[in-house]
Amino acid sequence: MTEFSNWLRSFVPPPLTVSKREIVYSCLGALIGLMFAEWLSRYILGEVNVWFVAPMGASAVLLFAVPASPLAQPWSIIGGNLVASLVGVLCVQTMSDGLGLSLGFTAAIAVAAAIGVMFVLRCLHPPSGAVAMTAVMGGPAIHALGYHFVVWPVLINSLFLLLLALIFNNALRHRYPHRAIQPAKTQDPPPSERLGFTSQDLDRALSSYGELLDINKSDLSELINKAKVSSFQRQFGDVRCADIMSKDVITVYTTTLLTEALTTLRERSMMALPVIDDQDRLVGMLSIQDFLVPRRDSTHIINPLEDQWANAVIDIMSHSAPTVEGSQPIGDLVQFFSDQGLHYVLIVDEAKHIQGIITQSDLVAALLEVKLAEAMA
């Protein structure tokens, strides 16, 4: 009886781990996307009996509610819908009209064949099954379009809906199209994989399922790494960045002469210097590389060691710098120093004033102290 009860409970999915804001955004995106696609399709295809097909509603669920899904990517909607509509029309003309099969039986064959082709072309898109069925069961208006149905309304509807999905999701800073995390630049695995699971371990685990999971390997790896960081923060959460930072930070101003800045780098045996403005706010970094790599401004190509146009730090500096706040747990530093390969992180306040700096050595020393204290307790 217990097993039967557990089996029945499996029919109810666990709560979705999504914020209320994302739910509202999903609904709003689907509303705007479908209205835009319908309006443009009707404007362009006003003379055509069918200018908008129902499966676009299902596509909108994927594109705006779960844009990270492998089934919601641009090639999935465009390729999947094109394949399904083409297969659907082909089945109608060869099986229903040609062989006299019933429309219901023809629709079943069309959907099954479309799924097979989508798997081969890596454009699996669940709403495309409805596109194939629409091509078969859509009635005289759809049948009269023949292969034109593939281009309009299917392709046009899909393109317009995708266009809105690209604009909307990127406006919300969603990673869409959902690109994989860039691998390490060396042949070795990133530091986070050297003592833990590797990409090959993940491949073997995914293969053991023997079925398609609605998450790509890169996202799954990122989730596992975030879980590791969360575990790290739980263990070392009482130690904050301000507790281990060095407060004596050597800086240069944007107006500092390049010769003076280079002298400071050499005398201090440093690879980079934080750059501040006249109000002591962090505005960027000056590194040894900035002296070696020519760069282009609005009118010239600047060679820092030779060109007369480069006189001050502001002429060649980088306008980005890795920063955290002093109140953040040291667990937040793990990704900076491991897979991102940084050697230092600056501690700043809300006004961008530099409070200190943490290097890889500072973090290692802090972790060692914590572990020694635990061992002696």
Side-chain angles (χ1 to χ4, degrees), residues 25 62 91 119 147 162 167 176-177 217 257 305 309 323 344:
Y25 285 157
L62 285 171
C91 286
F119 264 117
Y147 287 102
L162 174 61
I167 296 172
Y176 188 81
K217 187 179 76 170
L257 294 177
L305 294 179
W309 297 101
T323 63
Y344 61 86

Side-chain angles (χ1 to χ4, degrees), residues 257-294:
L257 294 177
L258 289 178
T259 52
E260 181 181 343
L262 185 58
T263 299
T264 301
L265 286 168
R266 287 173 174 171
E267 291 179 349
R268 299 276 182 169
S269 298
M270 300 172 68
M271 298 299 294
L273 287 167
V275 182
I276 56 178
D277 59 16
D278 55 2
Q279 296 181 353
D280 293 338
R281 294 175 302 194
L282 178 67
V283 293
M285 294 293 295
L286 178 71
S287 68
I288 292 294
Q289 183 180 8
D290 294 322
F291 285 91
L292 303 176
V293 179

